[in-house]
């Protein structure tokens, strides 16, 4: 469990770092709590609804949660 969470956190940090480099988000918007949000929502769904996780859910988390969180300063 610890390993998979660590890998996911590293992946999200790398995605955010690249977005900062491209100027898509500001570095100030990137916080550990904001980076954990998407994973937490996926985990919540998986635990209470079970697999598979619908593509629409992933798209919704990105479009409605992560993008707004990371594009505001």
């Amino acid at each position: 469990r610890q390993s998979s969470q660590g890998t996911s956190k590293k992946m999200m940090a790398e995605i955010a770092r690249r977005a900062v480099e491209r100027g898509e988000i500001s570095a100030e918007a990137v916080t550990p709590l904001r980076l954990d949000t998407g994973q937490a929502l996926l985990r919540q769904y998986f635990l209470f609804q079970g697999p598979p996780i619908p593509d629409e859910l992933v798209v919704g988390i990105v479009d409605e949660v992560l993008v707004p969180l990371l594009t505001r300063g």
Side-chain angles (χ1 to χ4, degrees):
R1 186 171 82 181
Q2 185 72 18
S3 176
S4 68
Q5 288 178 353
T7 300
S8 296
K9 287 180 186 242
K10 288 178 187 174
M11 287 187 336
M12 282 302 299
E14 179 63 16
I15 290 167
R17 183 190 67 76
R18 291 179 183 186
V20 169
E21 282 182 356
R22 290 189 302 266
E24 296 172 347
I25 61 174
S26 71
E28 293 79 29
V30 180
T31 66
L33 187 59
R34 289 178 181 180
L35 291 179
D36 285 345
T37 303
Q39 296 172 67
L41 291 169
L42 289 173
R43 195 174 307 116
Q44 172 79 9
Y45 183 92
F46 183 82
L47 289 174
F48 291 100
Q49 304 296 321
I53 294 176
D55 290 343
E56 301 81 32
L57 177 66
V58 177
V59 170
I61 289 172
V62 170
D63 291 349
E64 298 176 32
V65 179
L66 292 176
V67 169
L69 275 176
L70 294 171
T71 54
R72 67 173 213 205

